[in-house]
Every structure is written in C-alpha cells, then in structure tokens.
Amino acid sequence: MTVIRRGYVTGPVIGALWMLIAGFTIAVIMSFSTGEPFRPVLLSCLLWGILLWPATTDRAGQAGPALAGILLLAATLLGVGPVLRGINVGTIAALITGLALGVGYAWPMRYMMTGLPIGAATRHAFEHAVIRFLTSAGYVIFTALVAIPFYVMVMTSLKNQQQLVQNPLDFSIDLSKGWDLFSSYVELFSQFHFGSYLWTSFYVSVLTVLITLAFSVPGAYAVARLRFTGRTLFSRSILLIYMVPMIVLALPIYIAFSMTGLRNTIFGIIIIYPVTTIPVALYMLQGYFRGLPAEVEEAGLMDGLTRLRVIWKITLPLSLPALASVSLYVFMIAWNEFLLAFMLLDDPSKFTLTRGVAMLNSSEIPRQHLMAGAVIATVPIMALFLGLEKFMTKGLTAGAVKG
C-alpha cells in the first residue's frame, strides 16, 4: 500500500486511465459529429497518459498542461496520438480532435494531480487524487451514457430516409438543408396527429396531479398529525403497492376495465394513473408534514380555526415547496407512463404521447419519425425537470430536519 501512495506510481496510473477515458469519449464524439471514423488506440492511450502526467503536476507549473496539450495536438495531426482518424478525415476535424484531447486530458489531470507530490504522498493527498479521478471519470461516463443516445435520437430525427439507407451510422448534420431538417416533425403533427397526443398527455398528467394531491394531502396530514387506530400500520404499508410489479397488475386491470367499459377511454386512464401515484405522494408528504412545527397549527386551533381551515391557511402555505416537488414528480410519472396506456388504449384519437410514439415503431413507418416522436416526448419533460429541479430538491429535503 505504501508503494501505491507514491506519486510516481499513482500519477501514471491515473494519467493512463484518464487518457483512456478521454480518448474513447472524444473518438465517439468526433465519429458521431462528422460521420467519419475515429478510432482510439488502447496502447497509445495508455502510453501517452503515462508520458504526459509529469506535465500536469504542481512542479510543472502553469505551462505544464499547455505543453501536454500542444504535444497531444501535434501527435494527433501526425497520426501517432491516442486517437487515429480515417483517411478521409480533413485537417480541421483532426485539429479539433487534437485540441479536444489536449484540453480534455491536460487540465482535468492538473486538477487531479494538485497536491500530489511525485515522491511519497500522505494518505490525504493520495485519497484526494483518487477521489478526484473517480469523480471526474464518473461525470464523464455518466454524461456520455445519457447524452450519446439522446444525440443519436436527435440526429436520426433530422435525416431523411435516403440518408439513413445510405449510411445508418452517420450522425452528422447537414445545416445547408435549413428548415427541411425538421420535415419529420412537421409530418408527425400533420399526418400522425401528434398535437392531439401532446394535448392528451398534458391534461391527463395535470388531472393526475390534481387528483393525487386531493387524496394524498389529507391522507398524509392524517398520518402525520392525527391519532387513530391502525395509523402506524397504514403509515408503514403506504408503499406496499410498489412491491408488486405493474406488469403483474396489468392483466387484472385490463380485464376489469374491459368488463366495466372503461378500456379505451381517457376517463379510465385518469382513474388508474392516480392509483400508481397516490402512494408515493402520501409517502413524500407525510414526512414533510411531520417536519412542520405542530405549535403553529395548535395556535391556529386555539384561535378558533377548524382543522380544515388550519390545513388550508397554515399547513398548505408552509408546504408549498413539498407540494411543488410532489406535483412535478407525479406529472413526470403520468407523462412518461406507457404500460397502462399501451394496454388500455386502442383508439388513435385517444392516444397519449407515449402510446403514440409506440405506434411509430413499425416497419411501415420510417425510423426518423420514431426518433422525432421520441424527441417530442422527451424534450418537454426534460425542460420542465431541468427548469424546476432546484424547487424539487428543496421540497424533497425541506422536511428532512424536524422543526
């Protein structure tokens, strides 16, 4: 263990691994962006990572990372770098690859190597370098796993059938086509009624949120504040429904809805969606209500307010962050729900957005339409989550500390 803590051992190992991550990531990005082959070389990545790590240490000064970046740029242009380009790749693409490698390796490595001596290192310095490497690697890998499929989806949706047939792995974009790039989206709204699907998903999700809050707020308040027989059992069994996979319940639900005439109706969807969201909303809200000071509500009762008016005038205003986060979470569940919509809806005029996207998964419909539908289904909820994420986090954590 003492040998591992030496900078001349830890540094090359981290440098080699980081160059491997940077090389593979940049090769994938450049291949997708240009449609030309870029290939990371395993041995070359390891060797360059080991050779250049001294330039990223504290002893190398501010010029060290710049020197490492220049060397990687030159090596890439000469064809001996960590990433090899195809014979048809132009100089500009090679230059961008070299710059990306230089920046993507040198400055993150400088961040990781800060405080790590070349010789014997303290346990703190060693662990600090390892944690920084693992954190940076995790960010890059996770971002790549999320961004690459989304990028492929978007780029595919902007192509026509001829381009997909000629080269299905070309994910570059031809900006010279202008608005024709969005022809798949136009066709979805004009020929496949995606405007109707969007509206159906929107108002079904909103109604699901309202119904969920209407049942979960009083239920969570009762569990958190009132004393009644079976309160503890009810509190602990709220999430039992999530122990049963929805696929197990799908067939009984299908049979019951078919017998009652609720299958293939929006009303049936509005009834069944809250069944899946009320338990989690109850669980989230009861924890928040328990964290609110009971003295405030008791003061309201002493002033002559009824229990319902206390909830309306005191508890709910204090619980707005939690209500906002629960509403957002429930909205996302309803918007993204697919299994029940697929089982219960057959009439295209009543499809939700996820059901409409599934309809596009056919050999008779071009693949770019399926990808465009997936983008339409993903972007609104992604924008909503990213825009309100801080409020969701605040609502989920505000009740964590009592008082």
Side-chain angles (χ1 to χ4, degrees):
M1 190 66 181
T2 305
V3 176
I4 297 177
R5 288 185 189 173
R6 297 188 179 276
Y8 56 77
V9 176
T10 305
V13 171
I14 292 179
L17 293 176
W18 184 251
M19 181 63 80
L20 197 63
I21 294 173
F24 272 81
T25 303
I26 292 171
V28 171
I29 292 174
M30 293 303 299
S31 296
F32 283 169
S33 302
T34 63
E36 299 292 339
F38 286 82
R39 182 171 60 88
V41 182
L42 177 61
L43 183 59
S44 182
C45 286
L46 297 177
L47 290 176
W48 277 105
I50 293 172
L51 290 174
L52 293 179
W53 80 268
T56 62
T57 60
D58 292 337
R59 294 180 62 179
Q62 297 296 328
L67 177 61
I70 292 172
L71 290 175
L72 283 173
L73 173 60
T76 302
L77 292 175
L78 294 174
V80 294
V83 176
L84 298 181
R85 64 185 191 274
I87 57 176
N88 295 324
V89 176
T91 305
I92 295 179
L95 182 64
I96 294 174
T97 304
L99 288 173
L101 275 173
V103 174
Y105 173 82
W107 276 269
M109 274 294 295
R110 180 56 181 268
Y111 165 74
M112 295 177 226
M113 293 294 102
T114 299
L116 183 70
I118 294 180
T122 63
R123 179 177 178 179
H124 174 75
F126 168 76
E127 292 179 349
H128 200 54
V130 172
I131 290 173
R132 284 183 171 182
F133 165 73
L134 293 176
T135 303
S136 302
Y139 282 146
V140 172
I141 294 173
F142 177 77
T143 302
L145 291 176
V146 173
I148 289 176
F150 187 75
Y151 175 83
V152 171
M153 181 173 67
V154 173
M155 291 300 104
T156 303
S157 70
L158 299 177
K159 295 184 177 297
N160 55 42
Q161 188 66 14
Q162 181 181 359
Q163 291 174 312
L164 291 176
V165 171
Q166 288 178 347
N167 188 358
L169 297 180
D170 180 9
F171 300 110
S172 59
I173 183 172
D174 185 6
L175 296 177
S176 63
K177 293 188 175 181
W179 291 106
D180 289 340
L181 289 171
F182 302 97
S183 59
S184 296
Y185 294 89
V186 174
E187 291 172 5
L188 284 182
F189 284 96
S190 61
Q191 300 177 18
F192 294 92
H193 312 292
F194 256 64
S196 173
Y197 302 159
L198 271 172
W199 170 244
T200 300
S201 283
F202 175 75
Y203 78 76
V204 166
S205 299
V206 170
L207 289 176
T208 300
V209 170
L210 295 177
I211 295 172
T212 299
L213 291 179
F215 283 92
S216 61
V217 168
Y221 183 86
V223 172
R225 286 286 188 261
L226 305 182
R227 300 292 182 268
F228 56 89
T229 304
R231 170 176 171 268
T232 303
L233 177 62
F234 178 76
S235 176
R236 293 177 179 176
S237 61
I238 286 175
L239 294 180
L240 281 179
I241 188 174
Y242 284 97
M243 297 180 66
V244 182
M246 182 54 64
I247 191 66
V248 176
L249 302 175
L251 183 58
I253 291 173
Y254 179 86
I255 295 173
F257 274 49
S258 297
M259 295 176 62
T260 56
L262 292 174
R263 188 176 68 84
N264 206 29
T265 64
I266 297 298
F267 182 68
I269 291 293
I270 294 174
I271 289 177
I272 196 61
Y273 275 12
V275 174
T276 65
T277 57
I278 288 175
V280 68
L282 275 169
Y283 183 79
M284 294 168 67
L285 288 175
Q286 69 164 332
Y288 188 88
F289 288 155
R290 286 196 178 106
L292 295 177
E295 293 79 5
V296 179
E297 298 176 2
E298 292 172 358
L301 293 172
M302 293 178 63
D303 288 340
L305 295 178
T306 63
R307 178 66 70 174
L308 290 178
R309 290 183 66 83
V310 165
I311 296 175
W312 181 256
K313 289 184 172 293
I314 298 176
T315 306
L316 291 184
L318 292 175
S319 305
L320 286 180
L323 294 176
S325 63
V326 169
S327 299
L328 177 59
Y329 187 65
V330 170
F331 186 91
M332 290 192 297
I333 292 176
W335 181 275
N336 293 321
E337 202 287 322
F338 169 71
L339 179 60
L340 292 175
F342 183 76
M343 292 284 294
L344 300 177
L345 296 178
D346 297 324
D347 185 355
S349 65
K350 300 174 183 178
F351 280 177
T352 59
L353 192 55
T354 53
R355 182 66 179 89
V357 172
M359 179 191 65
L360 299 175
N361 188 20
S362 170
S363 59
E364 300 177 357
I365 299 176
R367 189 175 60 177
Q368 65 268 24
H369 289 77
L370 174 61
M371 294 296 103
V375 172
I376 293 172
T378 304
V379 169
I381 200 68
M382 182 183 295
L384 182 66
F385 176 79
L386 293 177
L388 302 178
E389 185 267 340
K390 63 179 181 179
F391 299 104
M392 185 174 182
T393 304
K394 180 181 178 182
L396 292 175
T397 59
V401 180
K402 185 175 178 61

